[in-house]
Amino acid sequence: MPVFYGTDVPSRLMLGTAQYPSPAILAEAFRRSGAGIATVSVRREAGGESTGAGFWTLVRDLGVHVLPNTAGCHSAREAVTTAEMARELFETDWIKLEVIGHADTLQPDPFGLVEAAAALTKKGFKVFPYTTEDLVLAERLLDAGCEVLMPWGAPIGTGLGLTNIYGLRTLRAQLPDVPMVIDAGLGLPSQAAQAIEMGFDAVLLNTAVARSGDPAGMAEGFARAVEAGRLAFDADPMEPRDMAAPSTPILGKAIL
């Protein structure tokens, strides 16, 4: 199982808590998925209001690690302020850092991301940066104090899967000892299995489960997919080849 900042997490599946049809369906999705981490948007919940307090009670009752995020932030300063609010509200130093640089694609702002990551690690936060598959950016985030990386599979909410296989494979190969989570863009359990087969430590998703026809069933499907992906990774899969190779030996074949 993955280890993030010295904490063992019981599942390779992480789920968001937004967009579910009801609190009961959210809770059932987490139960059937066995997800080990729940991400929570700080902007969506106000700790001093009854609705926010009720949501926090629901999240605590899930019995999983909470990873607040800075969703919706478009500057380093805004993200740092939101992270400080999250630490006070959710009583954790963990923060999923999002600094959005493009409104349409929701692509991270690499400059603001590194700036915010450096500031937060100095304040004692354990930062999980939402980033792209760019290797240079990844190294800058590690230099800033991050010990986990969360590269996207595709833009948030698109369900396109792993759109840059080469970039993700390169990132994983160049930084083999860094815990990495594929965050955003996954739409199907098969895409999650593919990510784990490539050696990524976990996947994080929200829309693919919450907006499906059966969120709890889809959550369980993703849970089974990440298990299958890890079994395949550990089994050392065969390399693909260009030419056919017979699985049945020719020796001993009947001569007609």
Side-chain angles (χ1 to χ4, degrees), residues 150-174:
M150 303 184 77
W152 67 354
I156 296 171
T158 61
L160 293 172
L162 308 180
T163 57
N164 184 357
I165 297 294
Y166 169 79
L168 289 171
R169 286 192 186 280
T170 301
L171 184 65
R172 180 70 284 180
Q174 291 293 321

Side-chain angles (χ1 to χ4, degrees), residues 116-223:
L120 289 171
T121 54
K122 288 179 181 178
K123 292 175 178 287
F125 282 91
K126 297 175 175 63
V127 181
F128 294 67
Y130 162 63
T131 182
T132 65
E133 70 278 10
D134 185 274
L135 178 59
V136 175
L137 174 55
E139 291 176 337
R140 295 294 184 273
L141 289 168
L142 296 176
D143 291 342
C146 298
E147 296 181 15
V148 177
L149 297 174
M150 303 184 77
W152 67 354
I156 296 171
T158 61
L160 293 172
L162 308 180
T163 57
N164 184 357
I165 297 294
Y166 169 79
L168 289 171
R169 286 192 186 280
T170 301
L171 184 65
R172 180 70 284 180
Q174 291 293 321
L175 302 171
D177 299 323
V178 177
M180 292 190 199
V181 181
I182 293 295
D183 175 18
L186 300 182
L188 293 170
S190 57
Q191 297 164 351
Q194 182 184 21
I196 302 299
E197 288 169 2
M198 291 168 59
F200 287 92
D201 298 276
V203 297
L204 169 59
L205 51 125
N206 191 158
T207 307
V209 167
R211 299 303 295 271
S212 68
D214 178 8
M218 185 64 79
E220 183 175 343
F222 271 100

